[in-house]
Amino acid sequence: LSYCDVKNAQTGVKAEPGSGIINILNVNLTNCSQTGIALLGLQGDGPLTPPPPTIYNCNITGSSTGISVANYNEILVTGNHLTNGGISILSVTSAFIQANIIDGGSVPPFAGIFMDNSGGYIRCNFVNNCLNGIRLANSSPDVGSNYLEHNLYHGVYIGSGSIPNMIGRLISGPPYTWYGASGFNRIIENGMGEVIGEPSDNDGSEIYFSSSSALLGEEKRPGCN
C-alpha cells in the first residue's frame, strides 16, 4: 500500500492475523480517531529473514495511537512522522524502530514509543511532547541516538522486567553516516509537565526505573547519554 490518503476513519489501515508480509509506504493518514495503522499478526507471525513487514515514510496525524503492532517476529518502522499519537509494539521478537519523528501535540499520547514484551532496537528517533518519550515493559532493546525532549513525565520510563542497553556503541550506515547503535541518547528537559490526575512517578526524572535496570556504561566504555 503506497501513496494513499486515508482520512476520518476509525482505523486507517488494519491487518488481521495471518495477513503475511505487509508494506505500507508513503501513506498519509489524517484524523483516524482510534489508530492510524494497526497490524495484528499471529503469535510469531512474519519471517525471521528479510524482508520484514515495513511501515515507512508515513504521515499520521490525529490518531489516539499512530502505529500499533502486535504478535510478529519482525517489524520495521522507519522514517515516519506522527503527531498526537505514538508507536505501540506488543509481543514482537525483533522490532526495529528507527528515524521516526513523534510529536505529542496538544493531546499527549501515553508514550512516544511504547514497547511491551518485545526486543530489537529503538534508534535515531525524535520524541517530544508525550507523557513519556520511551516506555518499556518487559522489554530490553538497544536504545541509541534518540532525541527525547520536553516530554511531560520522563524521557525514558523503564518498567518492570526491562534492562535496555544504552552503552555507547557507534556504527555506520543510514540514517546517518555514523550513529549510536546504543547509547548516545540526548535526554533533556523532560519531567517538567503537570497533568490533572498525574501518577505518583511524576518526580521530574529524566530516566525512571520501576523494578528494572539498564546498561548505561562499563569499565572501558563509561556512560555516554
Coordinates of all heavy atoms in Angstrom, one line a residue, residues 94-163:
S94 N 11.6 -9.0 17.3 CA 12.6 -8.1 16.8 C 11.9 -6.9 16.2 O 11.6 -7.0 15.0 CB 13.6 -8.7 15.8 OG 14.3 -9.8 16.5
A95 N 11.7 -5.8 16.9 CA 11.1 -4.6 16.4 C 12.2 -3.6 16.1 O 13.0 -3.3 17.0 CB 10.1 -4.1 17.4
F96 N 12.3 -3.1 14.9 CA 13.3 -2.1 14.5 C 12.6 -0.8 14.3 O 11.9 -0.5 13.3 CB 14.0 -2.6 13.3 CG 14.5 -4.0 13.4 CD1 14.2 -5.0 12.4 CD2 15.4 -4.4 14.4 CE1 14.6 -6.3 12.5 CE2 15.8 -5.7 14.5 CZ 15.5 -6.6 13.6
I97 N 12.8 0.1 15.3 CA 12.1 1.4 15.3 C 13.1 2.5 15.1 O 13.9 2.8 16.0 CB 11.4 1.6 16.7 CG1 10.6 0.4 17.1 CG2 10.4 2.8 16.6 CD1 9.5 -0.1 16.1
Q98 N 13.2 3.1 14.0 CA 14.3 4.0 13.6 C 13.8 5.2 12.9 O 13.0 5.1 12.0 CB 15.3 3.2 12.8 CG 16.5 4.0 12.3 CD 17.6 3.1 11.8 OE1 18.2 2.3 12.5 NE2 18.0 3.3 10.6
A99 N 14.5 6.4 13.2 CA 14.4 7.6 12.5 C 12.9 8.1 12.3 O 12.5 8.7 11.3 CB 15.0 7.5 11.1
N100 N 12.1 7.9 13.3 CA 10.7 8.4 13.4 C 10.7 9.8 14.1 O 11.5 10.0 15.1 CB 9.8 7.4 14.0 CG 9.8 6.1 13.3 OD1 9.2 6.0 12.2 ND2 10.4 5.1 13.9
I101 N 9.8 10.6 13.7 CA 9.6 11.9 14.4 C 8.2 11.8 15.1 O 7.2 11.6 14.4 CB 9.7 13.1 13.5 CG1 11.0 13.2 12.8 CG2 9.3 14.4 14.2 CD1 11.1 14.2 11.7
I102 N 8.1 12.0 16.4 CA 6.9 11.8 17.1 C 6.7 13.1 18.0 O 7.5 13.4 18.9 CB 6.9 10.6 18.0 CG1 7.2 9.3 17.2 CG2 5.6 10.4 18.8 CD1 7.5 8.1 18.0
D103 N 5.6 13.8 17.7 CA 5.2 15.0 18.5 C 3.9 14.8 19.1 O 2.9 14.6 18.4 CB 5.2 16.2 17.5 CG 5.0 17.5 18.2 OD1 4.5 17.5 19.4 OD2 5.2 18.5 17.6
G104 N 3.8 14.8 20.4 CA 2.6 14.5 21.1 C 1.5 15.6 20.8 O 0.3 15.3 21.0
G105 N 1.9 16.8 20.5 CA 0.9 17.8 20.1 C 0.2 18.3 21.4 O 0.6 18.2 22.5
S106 N -1.1 18.7 21.1 CA -1.9 19.2 22.2 C -2.5 18.2 23.1 O -2.9 18.5 24.2 CB -3.0 20.1 21.6 OG -3.8 19.3 20.7
V107 N -2.6 16.9 22.6 CA -3.1 15.8 23.4 C -2.0 14.8 23.6 O -2.0 13.9 22.7 CB -4.4 15.2 22.8 CG1 -5.0 14.1 23.7 CG2 -5.4 16.3 22.5
P108 N -1.2 14.8 24.6 CA 0.0 14.0 24.6 C -0.4 12.5 24.7 O -1.2 12.1 25.5 CB 0.7 14.4 25.9 CG 0.2 15.8 26.2 CD -1.2 15.8 25.7
P109 N 0.2 11.6 23.9 CA -0.1 10.2 24.0 C 0.6 9.6 25.2 O 1.5 10.2 25.8 CB 0.5 9.6 22.7 CG 1.5 10.6 22.3 CD 1.0 12.0 22.7
F110 N 0.2 8.4 25.6 CA 0.8 7.7 26.7 C 2.3 7.7 26.7 O 3.0 7.9 27.6 CB 0.2 6.3 26.8 CG 0.8 5.3 27.7 CD1 0.7 5.5 29.1 CD2 1.4 4.2 27.2 CE1 1.2 4.6 29.9 CE2 2.0 3.3 28.1 CZ 1.9 3.5 29.4
A111 N 2.8 7.3 25.5 CA 4.3 7.3 25.3 C 4.5 7.6 23.8 O 3.7 7.1 23.0 CB 4.9 6.0 25.7
G112 N 5.6 8.2 23.5 CA 6.0 8.3 22.1 C 6.3 7.0 21.5 O 5.7 6.6 20.4
I113 N 7.1 6.2 22.2 CA 7.3 4.8 21.8 C 7.1 3.9 23.0 O 7.8 4.0 24.0 CB 8.8 4.6 21.2 CG1 9.0 5.5 20.0 CG2 9.0 3.1 20.9 CD1 10.4 5.6 19.6
F114 N 6.1 3.0 22.9 CA 5.8 2.0 23.9 C 6.2 0.6 23.5 O 5.7 0.2 22.4 CB 4.4 2.1 24.3 CG 3.9 1.1 25.3 CD1 4.5 1.0 26.6 CD2 3.0 0.1 25.0 CE1 4.2 0.1 27.5 CE2 2.6 -0.8 26.0 CZ 3.2 -0.9 27.2
M115 N 7.0 -0.1 24.2 CA 7.4 -1.5 23.9 C 7.1 -2.4 25.0 O 7.5 -2.2 26.2 CB 8.8 -1.5 23.5 CG 9.3 -2.8 23.0 SD 11.1 -2.8 22.5 CE 10.9 -2.0 20.8
D116 N 6.3 -3.4 24.8 CA 5.9 -4.4 25.8 C 6.2 -5.8 25.3 O 5.8 -6.2 24.3 CB 4.4 -4.3 26.1 CG 3.9 -5.1 27.3 OD1 4.7 -5.8 27.9 OD2 2.7 -5.1 27.5
N117 N 7.0 -6.5 26.1 CA 7.3 -7.9 25.9 C 7.9 -8.1 24.5 O 7.6 -9.0 23.7 CB 6.1 -8.8 26.0 CG 6.4 -10.3 26.0 OD1 7.4 -10.7 26.6 ND2 5.5 -11.1 25.4
S118 N 8.9 -7.2 24.2 CA 9.4 -7.1 22.8 C 10.9 -6.9 22.9 O 11.5 -6.4 23.9 CB 8.8 -6.1 22.0 OG 7.4 -6.3 21.8
G119 N 11.6 -7.1 21.8 CA 13.0 -6.8 21.7 C 13.3 -6.1 20.4 O 12.4 -5.7 19.6
G120 N 14.6 -5.9 20.1 CA 15.0 -5.2 18.9 C 15.8 -4.0 19.2 O 16.6 -4.0 20.1
Y121 N 15.5 -2.9 18.5 CA 16.2 -1.6 18.8 C 15.3 -0.4 18.6 O 14.3 -0.4 17.8 CB 17.5 -1.5 18.0 CG 17.4 -1.4 16.5 CD1 16.8 -0.3 15.8 CD2 18.0 -2.4 15.7 CE1 16.7 -0.3 14.5 CE2 18.0 -2.3 14.3 CZ 17.3 -1.2 13.7 OH 17.3 -1.2 12.3
I122 N 15.7 0.7 19.3 CA 15.0 2.0 19.1 C 16.1 3.0 18.9 O 16.9 3.3 19.8 CB 14.2 2.3 20.4 CG1 13.1 1.3 20.7 CG2 13.6 3.7 20.3 CD1 12.4 1.4 22.0
R123 N 16.2 3.5 17.6 CA 17.4 4.3 17.3 C 17.0 5.5 16.5 O 16.1 5.5 15.6 CB 18.3 3.5 16.4 CG 19.0 2.3 17.1 CD 19.8 1.5 16.1 NE 20.4 0.3 16.7 CZ 20.9 -0.7 16.0 NH1 20.9 -0.7 14.7 NH2 21.4 -1.7 16.6
C124 N 17.6 6.6 16.8 CA 17.6 7.8 15.9 C 16.2 8.4 15.8 O 15.8 8.9 14.8 CB 18.2 7.6 14.6 SG 19.9 7.0 14.6
N125 N 15.4 8.3 16.9 CA 14.0 8.8 16.9 C 14.0 10.2 17.6 O 14.8 10.4 18.5 CB 13.1 7.9 17.5 CG 13.0 6.5 16.8 OD1 12.4 6.4 15.8 ND2 13.7 5.5 17.4
F126 N 13.2 11.1 17.1 CA 12.9 12.4 17.8 C 11.6 12.3 18.5 O 10.5 12.2 17.8 CB 13.0 13.5 16.8 CG 14.4 13.8 16.2 CD1 14.9 12.9 15.3 CD2 15.1 14.8 16.7 CE1 16.2 13.1 14.8 CE2 16.4 15.1 16.2 CZ 16.9 14.2 15.2
V127 N 11.5 12.4 19.8 CA 10.2 12.3 20.5 C 10.1 13.5 21.4 O 11.0 13.7 22.3 CB 10.2 11.0 21.3 CG1 8.8 10.8 22.0 CG2 10.5 9.8 20.4
N128 N 9.0 14.2 21.3 CA 8.7 15.3 22.2 C 7.2 15.5 22.5 O 6.4 15.0 21.7 CB 9.3 16.6 21.7 CG 8.8 17.1 20.4 OD1 7.7 17.6 20.4 ND2 9.5 16.9 19.4
N129 N 6.9 16.1 23.6 CA 5.5 16.5 23.9 C 4.6 15.3 24.2 O 3.4 15.3 23.9 CB 4.9 17.4 22.9 CG 5.6 18.7 22.8 OD1 6.0 19.3 23.8 ND2 5.6 19.3 21.6
C130 N 5.2 14.1 24.6 CA 4.4 13.0 25.0 C 4.5 12.9 26.5 O 5.2 13.6 27.2 CB 5.0 11.7 24.4 SG 5.0 11.7 22.6
L131 N 3.7 11.9 27.1 CA 3.8 11.8 28.6 C 5.2 11.2 28.9 O 5.9 11.7 29.8 CB 2.7 10.9 29.1 CG 1.3 11.4 29.0 CD1 0.3 10.5 29.7 CD2 1.2 12.8 29.5
N132 N 5.6 10.1 28.2 CA 7.0 9.6 28.3 C 7.5 9.5 26.9 O 6.8 9.1 26.0 CB 7.0 8.2 29.0 CG 6.5 8.2 30.4 OD1 7.1 8.7 31.3 ND2 5.2 7.8 30.6
G133 N 8.8 9.8 26.7 CA 9.4 9.6 25.4 C 9.4 8.2 25.0 O 8.9 7.8 23.9
I134 N 10.0 7.3 25.8 CA 10.1 5.9 25.5 C 9.6 5.2 26.8 O 10.1 5.6 27.9 CB 11.5 5.4 25.2 CG1 12.0 6.0 23.8 CG2 11.6 3.9 25.1 CD1 13.4 5.7 23.5
R135 N 8.7 4.2 26.7 CA 8.3 3.5 27.9 C 8.4 2.0 27.6 O 7.9 1.5 26.5 CB 6.8 3.8 28.2 CG 6.3 3.0 29.5 CD 5.1 3.7 30.1 NE 4.7 2.9 31.3 CZ 4.1 3.4 32.3 NH1 3.8 4.7 32.4 NH2 3.8 2.7 33.4
L136 N 9.1 1.3 28.5 CA 9.4 -0.1 28.3 C 8.7 -1.0 29.4 O 8.7 -0.6 30.5 CB 10.9 -0.4 28.3 CG 11.8 0.4 27.3 CD1 13.2 0.2 27.6 CD2 11.4 0.1 25.9
A137 N 8.2 -2.1 29.0 CA 7.6 -3.1 29.9 C 8.1 -4.5 29.5 O 7.8 -4.9 28.3 CB 6.1 -3.0 29.9
N138 N 8.9 -5.2 30.3 CA 9.4 -6.5 30.0 C 10.1 -6.5 28.6 O 9.9 -7.4 27.8 CB 8.3 -7.5 30.0 CG 7.7 -7.7 31.4 OD1 8.4 -8.1 32.3 ND2 6.4 -7.5 31.5
S139 N 10.8 -5.4 28.4 CA 11.5 -5.3 27.1 C 12.9 -4.7 27.3 O 13.1 -3.8 28.1 CB 10.7 -4.3 26.2 OG 9.4 -4.8 25.9
S140 N 13.9 -5.3 26.5 CA 15.3 -4.9 26.7 C 15.9 -4.6 25.3 O 16.8 -5.3 24.9 CB 16.0 -6.0 27.4 OG 15.4 -6.2 28.7
P141 N 15.4 -3.6 24.6 CA 16.0 -3.3 23.3 C 17.3 -2.5 23.4 O 17.7 -2.0 24.5 CB 14.9 -2.4 22.7 CG 14.3 -1.6 23.9 CD 14.3 -2.7 25.0
D142 N 18.0 -2.4 22.3 CA 19.1 -1.4 22.2 C 18.5 -0.1 22.0 O 17.6 0.1 21.1 CB 20.0 -1.8 21.1 CG 20.9 -3.0 21.3 OD1 21.0 -3.4 22.5 OD2 21.4 -3.6 20.3
V143 N 18.9 0.9 22.8 CA 18.4 2.3 22.7 C 19.5 3.2 22.4 O 20.4 3.5 23.2 CB 17.6 2.7 24.0 CG1 17.1 4.1 23.9 CG2 16.5 1.7 24.3
G144 N 19.5 3.8 21.2 CA 20.7 4.6 20.8 C 20.3 5.8 19.9 O 19.4 5.8 19.1
S145 N 21.0 6.9 20.2 CA 20.9 8.1 19.3 C 19.5 8.7 19.2 O 19.2 9.3 18.2 CB 21.5 7.9 17.9 OG 22.9 7.8 18.0
N146 N 18.7 8.6 20.2 CA 17.4 9.2 20.2 C 17.5 10.5 20.9 O 18.2 10.8 21.8 CB 16.4 8.3 21.0 CG 16.3 6.9 20.4 OD1 15.6 6.7 19.4 ND2 16.9 5.9 21.0
Y147 N 16.6 11.5 20.4 CA 16.4 12.8 21.0 C 15.1 12.8 21.7 O 14.0 12.7 21.1 CB 16.4 13.9 19.9 CG 17.8 14.2 19.4 CD1 18.6 13.4 18.7 CD2 18.3 15.5 19.7 CE1 19.9 13.7 18.3 CE2 19.6 15.9 19.3 CZ 20.4 15.0 18.6 OH 21.6 15.3 18.2
L148 N 15.1 12.8 23.1 CA 13.9 12.7 23.9 C 13.9 14.0 24.7 O 14.6 14.2 25.7 CB 14.0 11.5 24.8 CG 14.4 10.2 24.1 CD1 14.6 9.1 25.1 CD2 13.3 9.8 23.1
E149 N 13.0 14.9 24.3 CA 13.0 16.3 24.9 C 11.6 16.7 25.1 O 10.6 16.4 24.4 CB 13.7 17.3 23.9 CG 15.1 16.9 23.6 CD 15.7 17.9 22.6 OE1 15.0 18.8 22.1 OE2 16.9 17.8 22.4
H150 N 11.4 17.4 26.2 CA 10.1 18.1 26.6 C 8.9 17.2 26.7 O 7.8 17.5 26.3 CB 9.8 19.2 25.5 CG 11.0 20.2 25.3 ND1 11.6 20.4 24.1 CD2 11.6 20.9 26.2 CE1 12.5 21.3 24.3 NE2 12.6 21.6 25.5
N151 N 9.2 15.9 27.1 CA 8.1 15.0 27.5 C 7.7 15.3 28.9 O 8.5 15.6 29.8 CB 8.5 13.6 27.2 CG 8.9 13.3 25.8 OD1 8.0 13.3 24.9 ND2 10.2 13.2 25.5
L152 N 6.4 15.1 29.2 CA 5.8 15.7 30.4 C 6.3 14.9 31.7 O 6.6 15.6 32.7 CB 4.3 15.6 30.4 CG 3.7 16.6 29.3 CD1 2.1 16.5 29.5 CD2 4.1 18.0 29.5
Y153 N 6.4 13.6 31.6 CA 6.8 12.9 32.8 C 8.3 12.5 32.8 O 9.1 12.8 33.7 CB 6.0 11.6 33.0 CG 4.5 11.9 33.3 CD1 3.6 10.9 33.1 CD2 4.1 13.1 33.7 CE1 2.2 11.1 33.4 CE2 2.7 13.4 33.9 CZ 1.8 12.4 33.8 OH 0.5 12.6 34.0
H154 N 8.7 11.7 31.8 CA 10.1 11.2 31.8 C 10.6 11.1 30.3 O 9.7 10.9 29.4 CB 10.2 9.8 32.4 CG 9.5 9.7 33.7 ND1 10.0 10.3 34.9 CD2 8.3 9.1 34.1 CE1 9.2 10.0 35.9 NE2 8.2 9.3 35.4
G155 N 11.9 11.2 30.1 CA 12.4 10.9 28.8 C 12.3 9.4 28.5 O 11.8 9.0 27.5
V156 N 12.7 8.6 29.5 CA 12.6 7.1 29.4 C 12.0 6.5 30.7 O 12.5 6.8 31.8 CB 14.0 6.4 29.2 CG1 13.9 4.9 29.0 CG2 14.7 7.1 28.0
Y157 N 11.0 5.8 30.5 CA 10.4 5.0 31.7 C 10.7 3.6 31.5 O 10.3 2.9 30.5 CB 8.9 5.2 31.7 CG 8.1 4.6 32.9 CD1 7.6 5.4 33.9 CD2 8.0 3.2 32.9 CE1 7.0 4.8 35.0 CE2 7.3 2.6 34.0 CZ 6.8 3.4 35.0 OH 6.2 2.8 36.1
I158 N 11.5 3.0 32.4 CA 12.0 1.6 32.3 C 11.1 0.8 33.3 O 11.4 0.9 34.5 CB 13.5 1.5 32.6 CG1 14.2 2.5 31.6 CG2 13.9 0.1 32.4 CD1 15.7 2.5 31.9
G159 N 10.2 0.1 32.8 CA 9.2 -0.6 33.6 C 9.7 -2.0 34.0 O 10.8 -2.5 33.5
S160 N 9.0 -2.7 34.8 CA 9.3 -4.0 35.4 C 9.8 -5.0 34.3 O 9.2 -5.1 33.2 CB 8.1 -4.5 36.1 OG 8.4 -5.8 36.6
G161 N 10.9 -5.7 34.6 CA 11.4 -6.7 33.8 C 12.2 -6.2 32.6 O 12.5 -7.0 31.7
S162 N 12.6 -4.9 32.6 CA 13.3 -4.4 31.4 C 14.7 -4.0 31.8 O 15.0 -3.5 32.9 CB 12.6 -3.1 30.9 OG 11.2 -3.4 30.6
I163 N 15.6 -4.3 30.9 CA 17.0 -4.0 31.0 C 17.5 -3.5 29.6 O 18.2 -4.2 28.9 CB 17.9 -5.1 31.5 CG1 17.3 -5.8 32.7 CG2 19.3 -4.6 31.9 CD1 18.1 -7.0 33.2

